[in-house]
Amino acid sequence: MEYKKINGRDFYNMVVNASNRLAEESDFVNALNVFPVPDGDTGTNMSMTFKAAVKEIENINSESIGEVSKKLAKGALMGARGNSGVILSQILRGLSRGLEGKDEVNCSELAEAFEEGSKSAYKAVMRPTEGTILSVIRATAECATSLKSNEVAHFMDEITKAAKIMLDKTPEMLPALKKAKVVDSGGMGLYIILSGMTQALKEGIKAEVKDIKIGEGGGDVTGAGASVDAENIKFGYCTEFIILGDASHAKEFQDSIEPLGDSMIVVGYDDVIKVHIHTNDPGAVLAKAVKVGELSKIKIDNMREEHRELIANEKMREDAKKAQKPEKYGFITVAMGNGISNIFKDLGVNHVIEGGQTMNPSTQDILDCIEKINAENIFVFPNNKNIIMAAEQAAEIAEKNVIVIKTTSIPQGITCLSMFNKDGEVEENIEELKELLETVKTGSVTYAVRDTEMDGIEIKEGNMLGLVEGKIKEVGEDKLEVGEKVLENLVDEDSELITIFYGEDVTEEEANSFVEKIEEKFEDCDVQLYKGEQPLYYLLMSVE
């Protein structure tokens, strides 16, 4: 079918098909993470961002491409997760700007919109890096504006090819990609989107939004999501348990329970399979599970009942808040692990958003928390470089005075909140916190999810990885030995305090033994130990 012009309905089919394609490929995009650590989440972030955008237009009944694109951009803006999601939302925002006020567009007008999308993406990044999604959208726009095509499907086909050519060049533009033998993950996500849009036109697809499972996003620990009616919760029982059985059966078991619910996670390792699912029939799930092996640590929560209690408590809090005089300061932070969340709450944080690596909260998640705080000045601590842009976007949208302190790690966030002067003035606190960030050195220990080589270091799947300021510096077999080497990189003659947060996969005995060794080795430093309970990272450490 030939298209000299496309309207809002055509555009709807294009982006919905693209969203479905991206959701299907999100795990593949995640796997392109440069670092071989278990926090590759670009595919999840981009897919959840695009899914939020498509949800905004799901029930739209308009033939105007300008109107459809405007709503799409709004949905992406509010649902943006992680840096890749924020950049994607800005691309869609630029596209919308180029299509504004138009009912239908030809190739020339569409080219101008893609050029706006590229410009908007570059403006969103303070220090644009080539070899990323930015290069791919720029190449797409340059091809679009140079084409003389009069047929939209052919136009889309050509700009998608241009995107692929640039995507394939990204390893030559970024040494880190070349060493990891991957292309840029954000660029791949954009290429998949363009491919999905092109496919819809070429094949005349009448797209429908598919409920394809992708990664779970961050939520407010203290009550995000209360706006949903309990009766509208599709699957009412959060069911978690462990199967003590052969982990090779994990995929087969996952396939067998998939029709019974959603939000499903099935992870197998050696002789253990960990299961999480939202379902209306926990008994049916457990009946299938017991055929695989012995069951342990079964936990079933009635989410509808919890939700009704949440609504009631939330209303009581909101009513009380309205009657209160605003506080001078309010605080929002992002964290993973009950232990770390509790530390933040003890430091006076109003809302701890569950999130971090693999689970970046969206702009909307952060904005929701901002709206709940009755304070004149609200400080946000992202604690992850991949959350800073979403936080800044939320601050820009909010009608309150919101200040984002660009913390990139949990220890930085805790140090900032520990030293915050609640009696001081806003500008004084901002300057002091910025200076404080320079004094906190951070390290961590996690594991490799694949074989690779980085900076001349050979890494095998399952190796323990020691990261210093986010870069892999140590590789070994023992997590505590690697942790010790990480601290050797961080401690110098000026160091006074070592803080250690141990994760959910480290026992208290292991943690205490590690601290004894560290105290003996670095006898001039005070050592503090906390039970962080964080996933993925065995140790999070800071030196001040």
Side-chain angles (χ1 to χ4, degrees), residues 90-110:
Q90 293 304 309
I91 292 173
L92 295 177
R93 194 177 185 181
L95 269 173
S96 170
R97 200 175 290 129
L99 299 172
E100 188 174 359
K102 296 179 171 67
D103 290 332
E104 57 182 16
V105 294
N106 57 26
C107 294
S108 176
E109 291 168 316
L110 197 54

Side-chain angles (χ1 to χ4, degrees), residues 357-369:
Q357 303 291 26
T358 77
M359 198 167 67
N360 299 153
S362 68
T363 299
Q364 186 68 63
D365 290 331
I366 299 168
L367 193 60
D368 287 344
C369 291

Side-chain angles (χ1 to χ4, degrees), residues 217-232:
D220 175 18
V221 171
T222 57
S227 60
V228 180
D229 292 333
E231 290 71 20
N232 290 334

Side-chain angles (χ1 to χ4, degrees), residues 229-466:
D229 292 333
E231 290 71 20
N232 290 334
I233 295 176
K234 187 175 180 182
F235 296 102
Y237 296 93
C238 177
T239 306
E240 296 178 273
F241 55 93
I242 290 173
I243 304 174
L244 305 177
D246 188 352
S248 65
H249 296 304
K251 181 64 171 66
E252 178 184 348
F253 174 70
Q254 178 177 330
D255 292 342
S256 73
I257 66 170
E258 185 174 12
L260 298 177
D262 66 6
S263 298
M264 180 174 57
I265 301 172
V266 178
V267 181
Y269 186 78
D270 289 343
D271 57 352
V272 172
I273 303 172
K274 191 172 182 180
V275 183
H276 170 281
I277 185 173
H278 292 174
T279 180
N280 285 329
D281 194 348
V285 175
L286 296 175
K288 290 179 180 290
V290 79
K291 295 177 183 178
V292 181
E294 185 179 345
L295 306 187
S296 174
K297 297 185 178 179
I298 300 171
K299 180 173 175 282
I300 302 172
D301 294 321
N302 184 333
M303 294 190 294
R304 294 187 180 98
E305 182 177 80
E306 290 178 348
H307 195 81
R308 283 188 287 267
E309 292 177 4
L310 188 69
I311 293 280
N313 292 336
E314 187 71 15
K315 188 175 186 306
M316 287 174 63
R317 282 196 296 269
E318 290 299 321
D319 290 343
K321 195 180 295 178
K322 288 175 183 176
Q324 290 176 354
K325 180 182 176 183
E327 297 286 340
K328 183 174 182 178
Y329 292 115
F331 304 96
I332 297 168
T333 191
V334 182
M336 291 183 74
N338 289 334
I340 290 173
S341 294
N342 289 333
I343 292 170
F344 278 123
K345 290 173 186 175
D346 290 341
L347 290 170
V349 171
N350 300 81
H351 289 279
V352 180
I353 302 176
E354 184 180 352
Q357 303 291 26
T358 77
M359 198 167 67
N360 299 153
S362 68
T363 299
Q364 186 68 63
D365 290 331
I366 299 168
L367 193 60
D368 287 344
C369 291
I370 290 171
E371 293 306 315
K372 292 174 184 175
I373 296 177
N374 186 25
E376 295 172 356
N377 309 285
I378 299 171
F379 279 74
V380 181
F381 301 90
N383 302 333
N384 185 304
K385 64 181 181 181
N386 207 30
I387 301 173
I388 291 173
M389 289 181 72
E392 290 179 328
Q393 196 155 260
E396 185 180 333
I397 297 168
E399 296 179 358
K400 300 180 181 179
N401 185 37
V402 180
I403 302 99
V404 178
I405 302 299
K406 298 181 181 181
T407 51
T408 59
S409 67
I410 294 294
Q412 280 188 343
I414 289 175
T415 299
C416 284
L417 280 155
S418 300
M419 302 301 291
F420 194 94
N421 181 7
K422 294 184 179 179
D423 295 322
E425 296 303 316
V426 176
E427 291 304 321
E428 290 175 1
N429 271 308
I430 292 173
E431 291 306 313
E432 288 176 8
L433 294 180
K434 286 180 179 177
E435 291 177 11
L436 198 60
L437 291 181
E438 302 298 321
T439 69
V440 183
K441 296 182 287 186
T442 60
S444 57
V445 179
T446 184
Y447 58 93
V449 295
R450 67 167 188 274
D451 295 350
T452 189
E453 182 180 315
M454 301 209 61
D455 297 326
I457 303 174
E458 186 177 353
I459 298 170
K460 297 293 183 183
E461 183 180 346
N463 278 162
M464 297 294 110
L465 304 180

